[in-house]
Each structure stands twice: as structure tokens, then as C-alpha cells.
Amino acid sequence: MALLVRVLNQTSITQWVPVCSRLVPVPPPQGQWHKRQSGTSQWPQMSQSLAWVGSEQMAGVDIQLSRKYHTTNKKIKIAALRMYTSCVEKTDFEEFFLRCQIPDTFNSWFLITLLHVWMCLVRMKQEGRSGKYMCRIIVHFMWEDVEQRGKVMGVNPYILKKNMVLMTNSFYAAILGYDEGILSDDHGLAAALWRTFFNQKCEDPRHLALLVEYVRKQIQYLDSMNGEDLLLTGEVSWRPLVEKNPQSVLKAHAPTYNDEGL
């Protein structure tokens, strides 16, 4: 028995701890060793070496994830720019000026653009985290474009800055009103469009009814588009204000893109 106790006292008990998803041996605390045997003093250096290797591997994984995240965000930014460009280049502003009887002014251009940007935001918010990120980028590009157009038109910098503040307030008020309107019946949507789009100056109810119908069918048309395609390409097409072929409303064209989604 005395011999057994002596042997146990001289035996080092190796402990195992997880380091970077691996188990590596480390020596027991000093109090557990009465006598260090030859070679055991190298265990701490070995565990530190393994931990360093593990940390390098984890750093490599972090770099790869960071690159993937950066690449994904870059693609979404490109898609967001294309989607905003679709709002200003694929919209027939002249038809809105004519059929809705609104003046051909910078403010009217902004109100028409705002309406189409809002419809894009409604659609992309359905695409989870990536879609919400894309929404922020779309709005960013919109304000950059608005400011640049104001400068090109020769608007006084002080007046432009003041107008930008007013348009920002109008934008968020419009978004809130449109969101409530699209979730309610046609009367609620008409009230939101009357307050914002027509600036409470629509005298012909037919113009208001036309715009309500346009928003409803356009939202439905956007919903028919594939979300992954929208995140990859940002390509959006708009139905005409007055539909020549109502049966074609839900026939969304599949976008084309290369292997990188561009």
C-alpha cells in the first residue's frame, strides 16, 4: 500500500483543455507536482505553440469571412445603384406630368422618384437582412442624386441645403404615410397620395384613382419578381401608368446577369 501511494504521488496527471476547437494537454498546477520529471517542463511551451497555431487559423477564417462579407456588400451596392437608376431612368415622367396634371418642376420630379423608391423599399424589405441593407444604400444614392441635380441646375448652395432638409422631412413623412396607405384600403392609400404626391391639390378624383391603381398593380408586379435576382441585379421594370394589356401585369421578365451577378 505504501508503495502504491508513493507511485501515485510521483505520477503527473495530465489535464486537457480546449484551444481553438482542439484539446491540448497542459501541465497541472505547481501544487500538484511534488517533483518535475524530465521533459514535463516543455508542456507549457507546447500548449502556447498550439494555441498560437489555432489563433492563426481562426484569424484566417475571420479574413475569409470578412472578404466574403465585403464582396457580398459590394454586389448589393451595385444592385442598389441599378435599382435606383431604374427609378429615374425607366419611369416615364412625362406621362405622370400629363396624366396626373402636375407641373414639370424639380419638386414634381422628386415626388415621382420618391414614390418609385418607396415601392422598391417595400419590396426589398421582404428579403431579410440583405434586403434591408440594400434599402439603406438605395436611399443613400437617391440623396446623392438629388443633391447633384440641384447643383447642376445652379441652385444656390444655401438654398439647396435648406431644401435638402425640407425634402428629407418630406421623404420620411411620405414613407410613413405610404406604408400605412398600402396596408389599408384604397381610401387610405388615396389619402396618402393626396397628401404627399399631389400636395393636397388634386382637383380631379380620376387622377387620384389612376395613381392608386398604379401603385397597387406595381406593388403586385414587384412582388412577383424573384428576390434573389433583385439582390443580384437590382433590375426593376415599371408597368405603364395606363395599362394597355392588363393581362401582362404579372408577367415579370427574368433579369439577365453574369456569373458574378453583375
Side-chain angles (χ1 to χ4, degrees), residues 24-190:
V24 298
V26 296
Q30 183 67 28
Q32 294 184 9
W33 277 352
H34 299 290
K35 294 181 180 180
R36 290 183 178 271
Q37 300 178 0
S38 61
T40 55
S41 61
Q42 296 179 3
W43 279 103
Q45 285 81 0
M46 186 179 295
S47 64
Q48 291 175 4
S49 176
L50 290 173
W52 180 77
V53 172
S55 64
E56 270 203 337
Q57 292 177 348
M58 291 300 293
V61 172
D62 290 341
I63 292 174
Q64 291 178 358
L65 291 175
S66 177
R67 288 176 178 173
K68 183 178 180 181
Y69 179 77
H70 176 74
T71 302
T72 301
N73 282 359
K74 183 178 179 180
K75 290 182 178 180
I76 291 178
K77 287 180 180 180
I78 295 173
L81 178 58
R82 285 181 173 175
M83 186 167 287
Y84 173 72
T85 302
S86 298
C87 293
V88 295
E89 291 189 355
K90 294 184 178 180
T91 301
D92 191 343
F93 289 89
E94 294 296 332
E95 186 178 22
F96 278 89
F97 295 149
L98 178 63
R99 294 189 179 276
C100 296
Q101 292 296 298
I102 57 178
D104 183 357
T105 62
F106 179 75
N107 186 62
S108 295
W109 170 88
F110 174 71
L111 292 174
I112 297 172
T113 300
L114 187 158
L115 180 64
H116 289 80
V117 166
W118 165 73
M119 289 190 284
C120 288
L121 301 183
V122 171
R123 178 62 186 87
M124 297 317 299
K125 285 179 181 178
Q126 302 175 38
E127 299 304 319
R129 184 176 181 179
S130 296
K132 292 178 180 178
Y133 175 73
M134 188 170 177
C135 288
R136 295 197 298 270
I137 304 302
I138 292 172
V139 173
H140 171 76
F141 284 131
M142 181 192 73
W143 290 124
E144 279 195 343
D145 185 36
V146 169
E147 184 176 11
Q148 185 61 31
R149 287 174 185 266
K151 292 179 180 179
V152 171
M153 294 174 63
V155 179
N156 181 280
Y158 173 78
I159 296 177
L160 178 60
K161 184 177 180 180
K162 185 177 180 180
N163 288 342
M164 289 287 290
V165 173
L166 295 175
M167 284 188 289
T168 300
N169 294 335
S170 298
F171 172 77
Y172 289 108
I175 293 298
L176 179 61
Y178 287 158
D179 282 346
E180 292 178 350
I182 199 65
L183 294 175
S184 63
D185 56 16
D186 288 348
H187 295 286
L189 180 57

